[in-house]
Amino acid sequence: MAPTLLELAHWSTWAVCTVIKLPQLAAVLAARSARGVSAGSLLLELAGFLVFLRYQIYYGYPLQTYLEYPIIIAQDVILLLFILRFSGNMKQALFYAVTFWGGWYMLTLRKWVIDLAMNLCTLISAASKLAQLRCLWQTKDSGQASALTWSMSAYTCAARIVTTVMTTNDLAVLIRFITMLILNIWVTATILHYRKTKKTD
């Protein structure tokens, strides 16, 4: 039973993550606008994903426990480029690329750096969700924010809680996934609330 559950959690997470940002990308492209999508949230999310991926690789965790992260990072980069384009800030793309590339290499200069970064990673990722919530609360409009993307993120966090308990049992990783699960559900509910409010107006 346990190996089957573990395989199901891995495969379903990978499947969801191959398309996780597509609803968000489709909404932004269809509207040719990033209204309702926080660029700051996406940048923080990308930073959190990069730190998490680097941590997993550094400690030699099984590939199955983080295989989706390169896929999500690629989708986040594409989404960020469209957000920058539609908001007229494409010039910032090179700065962000150099910053993330440099950060990727600096993370493993010392063991304490990657450990500290992983502990801060949960705060960074939480800040990304809170930035999206703040954007929604300020505009009182879900705009192009995709409830499907956020609910898929909640599912992958729940699945990764299961896989982490069954494989590495790393407390820092568990705390991160539990926190992200709660915040992803909150963002999804907020998007749905403002979408419902907009339809009834």
Side-chain angles (χ1 to χ4, degrees):
M1 171 78 179
T4 304
L5 178 62
L6 184 60
E7 286 300 312
L8 177 64
H10 283 316
W11 281 101
S12 65
T13 298
W14 299 331
V16 168
C17 287
T18 60
V19 297
I20 197 165
K21 297 292 180 171
L22 295 185
Q24 187 65 73
L25 279 163
V28 168
L29 286 173
R32 301 192 63 73
S33 165
R35 185 178 51 84
V37 181
S38 169
S41 171
L42 189 59
L43 288 166
L44 288 168
E45 178 179 73
L46 193 52
F49 287 164
L50 287 168
V51 168
F52 186 76
L53 177 62
R54 193 65 164 162
Y55 178 86
Q56 297 280 321
I57 292 169
Y58 182 83
Y59 281 104
Y61 285 155
L63 181 62
Q64 299 93 324
T65 63
Y66 63 89
L67 184 61
E68 69 273 13
Y69 279 87
I71 298 165
I72 299 171
I73 289 168
Q75 291 177 57
D76 265 357
V77 168
I78 293 166
L79 180 58
L80 179 62
L81 290 173
F82 281 118
I83 289 171
L84 292 174
R85 179 171 181 231
F86 293 137
S87 63
N89 295 321
M90 267 310 272
K91 293 178 184 174
Q92 296 176 350
L94 179 61
F95 169 75
Y96 293 137
V98 169
T99 301
F100 285 126
W101 180 79
W104 175 262
Y105 287 99
M106 291 179 63
L107 283 170
T108 55
L109 291 176
R110 299 272 189 266
K111 181 184 179 306
W112 68 266
V113 174
I114 191 70
D115 290 339
L116 177 63
M118 181 57 196
N119 289 321
L120 294 175
C121 174
T122 299
L123 295 175
I124 292 167
S125 294
S128 79
K129 311 309 181 209
L130 294 172
Q132 181 60 50
L133 283 167
R134 181 174 178 244
C135 178
L136 292 167
W137 293 332
Q138 284 179 335
T139 62
K140 297 191 182 338
D141 181 6
S142 60
Q144 280 36 271
S146 170
L148 181 57
T149 290
W150 286 95
S151 61
M152 286 191 293
S153 293
Y155 170 77
T156 61
C157 287
R160 281 303 176 208
I161 290 168
V162 172
T163 62
T164 301
V165 167
M166 295 177 77
T167 55
T168 64
N169 213 19
D170 185 315
L171 184 60
V173 173
L174 278 173
I175 290 170
R176 180 183 188 281
F177 283 130
I178 292 167
T179 304
M180 294 310 100
L181 173 62
I182 293 165
L183 291 172
N184 283 328
I185 291 170
W186 193 359
V187 172
T188 302
T190 304
I191 290 169
L192 293 173
H193 169 74
Y194 286 125
R195 188 161 296 146
K196 183 179 175 185
T197 303
K198 189 174 181 180
K199 285 181 182 176
T200 57
D201 288 346

